[in-house]
Amino acid sequence: MRELTYNQAALEAIAEEMRRDPKVFYMSTDALPSLWNEFGADRIKVMPIAESAITGMGIGAAGSGFRPIVDWRQVTFCFVAMDQIVNQAAKIHYMFGGQAKFPMLFRASVGGGGQVAAQHSQSPYSMFMNVAGLKMFLPSTPADMKGLIKTAIRDNNPVISFESGRLMGLKGPVPDGDYTIPLGVADVKRQGSDVTVVALAWLVHEALAAADTLAAEGISVEVIDPRSLVPLDSDTIRASVRKTGRLVVADEAGPTAGFSAEVATLVTEDPETFARLQAPVKRVCALQVPIPYSPVLENAVFPDRSRIIAGIREVLRGSRAVAA
Amino acid sequence: MISLSPNLPPERQRAMLQQMLTIRRFEERASDDYGAGKIHGVVHCYIGEEAVAVGVCTALTRTDRIISTHRGHGHCIAKGADLNRMMAELYGRQAGYCKGKGGSMHIADFDIGMLGANGIVAGGIPIVTGAGLAAQMEGKGGVAVSFFGDGASNAGPFHECLNIAATMKLPMIYVCENNLWAAQTSAAQTHAEIDVAGRAAGYGIPGVVVDGNDVFAVYQAANTAVARARAGEGPTLIECKTYRWRAHTERKGQPDPRDKAEVEAWLQRDPIALLERQLRQQGELDDAVLRAMESEIAGAIEAAVAFSEASPVPLPEQATDDVFAA
Ligand SMILES: Cc1ncc(C[n+]2csc(CCOP(=O)(O)OP(=O)(O)O)c2C)c(N)n1
């Protein structure tokens, strides 16, 4: 199969959807060359640095029959649009009794590792997960990216595409032509029997590397990529933990009230899964700090494969016997 | 040609040239060291716009407060920041202004009224307007200056703050550095009216356009605005027409859609060369003085690099320091 980068896969999905549906258009503060060259000023709106206005305009255009894509670029820049996202986009369908549909795709890169300091290194998807009325996903591979973006553009709700800055240049096989991946369906990236690692984005790759290393010692790791954050596929995660009895959650964001806390809870609050747990759940997350610039400090903050391995060893050590 | 020298003693005028040259040499070095991998992340150069920061800050005192943008080295140096601690911050060292937590995009020196470079377009405008409110409440005649780009002038905080400052008669100077581009997008694409200064009329305050490459013109406009602010008459919007010589950031392979002829034309209007020529014509500068100035600056930059290299990198456990104040 041909290979595309993570970023190219996103652009291909968008271009295909724009060809398929003339109601899809794109708003951004800088024109992306490939989209601009194909679709021009009618469909690619170059906007001033006014993310609040751009986001709100997306809502208005969506409610008027269009399918806008609002590219915030980095998630950082959407914080100036929080009213439009939280008070308006998330609530407008529900609050007005479901009268109109607001199909929108928001794009936002997330994550750190680029030594660009606190304001430009953020993974705040859990904040958005907390807001009822927004769907969102965070893919780890180019193929998942393409399929999820296509689904999101066809969805009749605001959907946020969180895109890992670390993975933009990652190459992987991407099927030709039209296919979609539903929201709310996790992907088991590697089968295993001793411990489940639920990881997001870049940390899926780190978890797979950790699994390779531990396989040499006879430890069998199952790696689950939820892909979609809202809705979140609790069935697949619970089924895996019922099988392995152990759970490590790896996230580039801090732990507090985060995605990792959500996954830990949906496992422990389910009686059947809880009964099979052989060890406390382990979270391998960033430190709960703004992200610092200096490489030494930044590396100290983020989890990686070695910390995932340490987390896996910890749950294996802390295990108790559980009746089958 | 630039304006005739203002009513400033020759040594102050030479000091303006020295500051402008310092900004340029500092950034040339920062760019080289970024290319060499000694400076990380992202670096935005101010080269070509030096007359704005220096012209404005020459009209200020040490206790007046300013705020900067992602393109902040020039504002720091013009306000009197220490080159050693600036370079050490770029190097990500413990002795840097922010102990290695901020980098190029986030240098602050609160002791000299430099409230920080800011990575969010227009993010600093409300903060420095709050410093203006503080100055008004302190009642000591202090002023506050907001530096921001043409891009930022399209963001809500700019408009909200101009209205507030005008209504409250805050001692504010809003300095729009109109370099005609915001990242890869031209101001022509995003501004219905080319002159940002014209927006002042909507808020009932003075709005002036100045040649941002003419340091004396910038100084004079700033001086007038500062006098107005200190007298309690309220804010002024100054739009400085200028140009950034380099791409938006120093990252290699970055798109730069600007027309070569446009860039070339602006290179011909180098604010440093213009000032140099003016000072020579006034008899206040000759080759020997300039050579001495250049060598002093080169020495200061070498010293800043040596200082940075000698400063230890942060310890991993320092990542959790300073999340909250004691
Ligand atoms: C709210 C926000 N949106 C987008 C960005 C990304 N960004 C960084 S600098 C920049 C261009 C800023 O242009 P301008 O204000 O004219 O300043 P200049 O870079 O020209 O000095 C953009 C879009 C940002 N930092 N903050």
Side-chain angles (χ1 to χ4, degrees), chain B residues 271-287:
Chain B
I272 292 178
L274 290 171
L275 175 59
E276 228 181 86
R277 201 177 314 148
Q278 184 67 29
L279 291 182
R280 279 180 199 273
Q281 271 170 22
Q282 293 170 193
E284 289 162 12
L285 188 74
D286 58 27
D287 287 346

Side-chain angles (χ1 to χ4, degrees), chain A residues 1 26 40 67 87 119 222 233 241 257 305 307 312 315:
Chain A
M1 206 186 296
Y26 203 93
R67 291 184 171 272
N87 290 326
Q119 290 179 336
E222 178 143 308
D233 182 358
V241 175
R305 65 188 68 181
R307 282 177 226 179
I312 291 170
V315 297

Side-chain angles (χ1 to χ4, degrees), chain B residues 29 83-84 87 296-309:
Chain B
R29 183 58 183 258
L83 295 185
N84 290 355
M87 192 63 92
E296 191 186 330
I297 293 167
I301 284 163
E302 280 311 319
V305 169
F307 174 86
S308 305
E309 277 170 348

